[in-house]
Amino acid sequence: MHRRSFVRTAAAASVAPLIVPRHVLGGVGFVAPSDTVAVGIIGAGGMGASNAAPLAMMDDVRIAAIADVDMGRVAEAVSGRLGSDNPGSRAAGAALRDAYDGAARFADYREMLAGVNDLDGVVIATPDHHHALAALLAMDRGLAVYCQKPLTFTVDESRRLAAKAAQTGVVTQMGNQGHSGDDGRRVVEMVRAGVLGPIRAVQSWTNRPNGWWPQGVPATDPAPVPADLPWDVYLGPNPEQPYRPGIHPFGWRGWVGFGVGSLGDMGAHLVDFPVWALDLPRPSRVETRHTPWGGDRDAPATYPLATVTSYHFDGCGPEAGMADAGQPVEMTWYDGGLLPPTPANAPEGFTLDPNGGVIFIGERGLLIHETYGTNPRFLPAAPDLDLEAEAAAVPVSLPRIQDGIRGHEGNWIRAIQGTEAISCPFDYAAHLNEIMLLGVAAMNAGHPISVAPDGTVTNHDASILTRAYREGWALPA
């Protein structure tokens, strides 16, 4: 990265702003606000392009390198924006094109991280099974990390990322953009202020994977590897296996070994606000019921089409405020098009958004919001309760992120520069991610799992919390 010189002549110093070295202002990985932040994109098509586009439009960001196994798909991500009818999308496409054209290119992110010496941070938007290794390698280099959700593939990886982030002190962010949204932060404030009274239960749901990717289906037949796809790199830590159509470019979310299904995808948005508002600890009991796995149960190819996961929390944490009932909290997750029961106090014609949402169930009524915390609304438990008016009087207590839900990537850059607090760092994100993935662990166990406060599963071996790694793809210590 081309740094502006700290040394100035006496005359220039009298009129120019002081440019302070990063180690003086912000510790490991800090970049002064006057400097350009050099970023590498790991997984530059698909979601990675969506994360990279706002960065490419920032004057103080330079995309220095990209790593992707399918540069044809990366090109499609750019051309799709350039051909859009939306002027904003076309402008983003032009910025992305210019940024990617000037970036060093790699198929293997390990080579990028080893070979590009001027990076300040990386965005990780690969399939889930690569997240942990890429993030750990980057943090070991002292790089800031923006990692897409789910943060990791396993519970053990989540704990490793939290420990590494604390050890290195780099700026970290999980890509659950709703955490930066004004509506979601308002939900947290209203719940903690006691508008609903003590919270006894929470329900959340998503329609995914329906209409997004296949689950509950057997493996496709092996086929020749596409000429331009380095399948060995795509496999990463997975054992050697033949290429099967349907995994790449997006179906991987539903394939065992590559993704973690709907709970990993959307739980980062829909489980986020209950965990945040109620300051929930690790659950003590988790059970996942589901439709059949795709393929052989002993070696399934894809995750079940629909699941219901029940979490039992022994209580709320101290940040829950007036929402703490001083007793256990039950949280239920539905996916695959399943919905919670219609609330008993709902008016005639009331419907839940089939795409996804959350219901906080309190003694004084319900708060319902859509995915990303948007459009919160109330259902009072009694007709004389005006929860909307009470909510309006709740003071703002959480900081608002510049540009809200659309500013999640920019927030990461500003945190690297030391001008804005990070929105969803790994010390919180890893805890949220662990709660989500304990639901997947319970599904893999095939029975309810009991979890001790230290995270030990007491009624099943630890294999449901970790995975095996192919040679050359093991996690660093």
Side-chain angles (χ1 to χ4, degrees), residues 263 286-290 304 306-311 333 335 436 438-444 446-449:
L263 184 51
V286 186
E287 179 179 14
T288 297
R289 295 184 176 274
H290 55 83
T307 69
V308 178
T309 299
S310 302
Y311 295 91
W333 165 269
D335 63 34
M436 292 154 43
L438 283 170
V440 180
M443 180 167 59
N444 286 324
H447 60 77
I449 59 174

Side-chain angles (χ1 to χ4, degrees), residues 7 22 32 96 101 148 186 208 395 420 439 467 476:
V7 180
R22 68 174 65 185
L96 198 59
D101 283 351
Q148 261 305 326
R186 190 59 181 160
R208 300 190 192 197
E420 187 174 51
R467 66 167 301 158

Side-chain angles (χ1 to χ4, degrees), residues 67-134:
D68 201 289
V69 295
D70 189 345
M71 289 298 176
R73 180 165 166 77
V74 173
E76 290 174 1
V78 174
S79 62
R81 287 168 171 79
L82 289 172
S84 172
D85 292 334
N86 183 297
S89 294
R90 291 198 301 274
L96 198 59
R97 175 198 60 206
D98 295 344
Y100 280 5
D101 283 351
R105 296 189 169 213
F106 299 84
D108 190 331
Y109 59 84
R110 296 171 302 175
E111 295 178 1
M112 184 190 86
L113 290 171
V116 181
N117 297 319
D118 63 347
L119 294 176
D120 296 302
V122 295
V123 172
I124 301 168
T126 62
D128 303 342
H129 66 302
H130 281 286
H131 285 187
L133 178 57

Side-chain angles (χ1 to χ4, degrees), residues 15 34 56 71 122 143 146 157 207 216 222 234 344 361 380 392 404 415 417 423-424 449 462 475:
V15 295
S34 53
M71 289 298 176
V122 295
L143 303 181
Y146 181 110
E157 290 176 345
N207 63 343
Y234 193 98
I361 303 173
Q417 297 170 323
S423 175
C424 193
I449 59 174
L475 302 183

Side-chain angles (χ1 to χ4, degrees), residues 85-456:
D85 292 334
N86 183 297
S89 294
R90 291 198 301 274
L96 198 59
R97 175 198 60 206
D98 295 344
Y100 280 5
D101 283 351
R105 296 189 169 213
F106 299 84
D108 190 331
Y109 59 84
R110 296 171 302 175
E111 295 178 1
M112 184 190 86
L113 290 171
V116 181
N117 297 319
D118 63 347
L119 294 176
D120 296 302
V122 295
V123 172
I124 301 168
T126 62
D128 303 342
H129 66 302
H130 281 286
H131 285 187
L133 178 57
L136 289 169
L137 291 174
M139 287 190 283
D140 274 340
R141 282 199 55 195
L143 303 181
V145 174
Y146 181 110
C147 186
Q148 261 305 326
K149 45 77 185 173
L151 192 62
T152 64
F153 185 79
T154 70
V155 169
D156 173 69
E157 290 176 345
S158 197
R159 295 171 182 173
R160 290 184 185 222
L161 261 63
K164 184 67 72 173
Q167 174 192 335
T168 60
V170 300
V171 174
T172 57
Q173 179 101 295
M174 183 165 75
N176 55 336
Q177 66 270 24
H179 201 86
S180 290
D182 290 356
D183 279 1
R185 289 173 178 248
R186 190 59 181 160
V187 164
V188 173
E189 291 166 345
M190 294 186 295
V191 169
R192 288 181 172 179
V195 173
L196 301 177
I199 302 296
R200 305 300 176 87
V202 179
Q203 299 168 331
S204 57
W205 70 96
T206 181
N207 63 343
R208 300 190 192 197
N210 293 342
W212 292 86
W213 64 84
Q215 288 185 194
V217 297
T220 54
D221 292 333
V225 178
D228 55 353
L229 180 66
W231 179 239
D232 182 74
V233 177
Y234 193 98
L235 281 176
N238 282 326
E240 292 185 11
Q241 57 190 280
Y243 169 80
R244 296 178 186 273
I247 298 177
H248 176 70
F250 187 65
W252 55 263
R253 281 206 181 275
W255 283 72
V256 174
F258 297 88
V260 289
S262 300
L263 184 51
D265 179 42
M266 296 305 291
H269 301 303
L270 294 160
V271 176
D272 180 16
F273 298 108
V275 170
W276 189 9
L278 302 178
D279 193 18
L280 293 174
R282 286 189 176 105
S284 59
R285 186 179 186 274
V286 186
E287 179 179 14
T288 297
R289 295 184 176 274
H290 55 83
T291 55
W293 291 81
D296 184 354
R297 174 60 188 93
D298 293 331
T302 63
Y303 291 100
L305 177 62
T307 69
V308 178
T309 299
S310 302
Y311 295 91
H312 177 91
F313 299 90
D314 290 339
C316 299
E319 296 298 320
M322 298 297 291
D324 186 359
Q327 65 181 35
V329 175
E330 305 294 330
M331 182 170 70
T332 308
W333 165 269
Y334 304 82
D335 63 34
L338 301 178
L339 295 170
T342 301
N345 58 335
E348 190 70 26
F350 175 90
T351 59
L352 296 172
D353 181 356
N355 295 307
V358 174
I359 304 175
F360 288 88
I361 303 173
E363 291 184 357
R364 305 179 73 240
L366 313 180
L367 187 157
I368 304 169
H369 68 73
E370 297 171 7
T371 307
Y372 314 113
T374 55
N375 300 322
R377 52 181 170 155
F378 293 94
L379 289 179
D384 60 334
L385 291 175
D386 189 349
L387 301 185
E388 295 279 359
E390 293 183 32
V394 172
V396 172
S397 57
L398 295 173
R400 295 307 191 254
I401 302 301
Q402 182 178 325
D403 299 323
I405 197 169
R406 296 183 179 277
H408 202 54
E409 295 89 353
N411 166 256
W412 177 63
I413 295 297
R414 291 187 293 275
I416 293 171
Q417 297 170 323
T419 61
E420 187 174 51
I422 195 66
S423 175
C424 193
F426 285 4
D427 61 349
Y428 169 82
H431 174 68
L432 166 63
N433 190 69
E434 176 174 334
I435 292 173
M436 292 154 43
L437 295 189
L438 283 170
V440 180
M443 180 167 59
N444 286 324
H447 60 77
I449 59 174
S450 299
V451 186
D454 68 357
T456 302

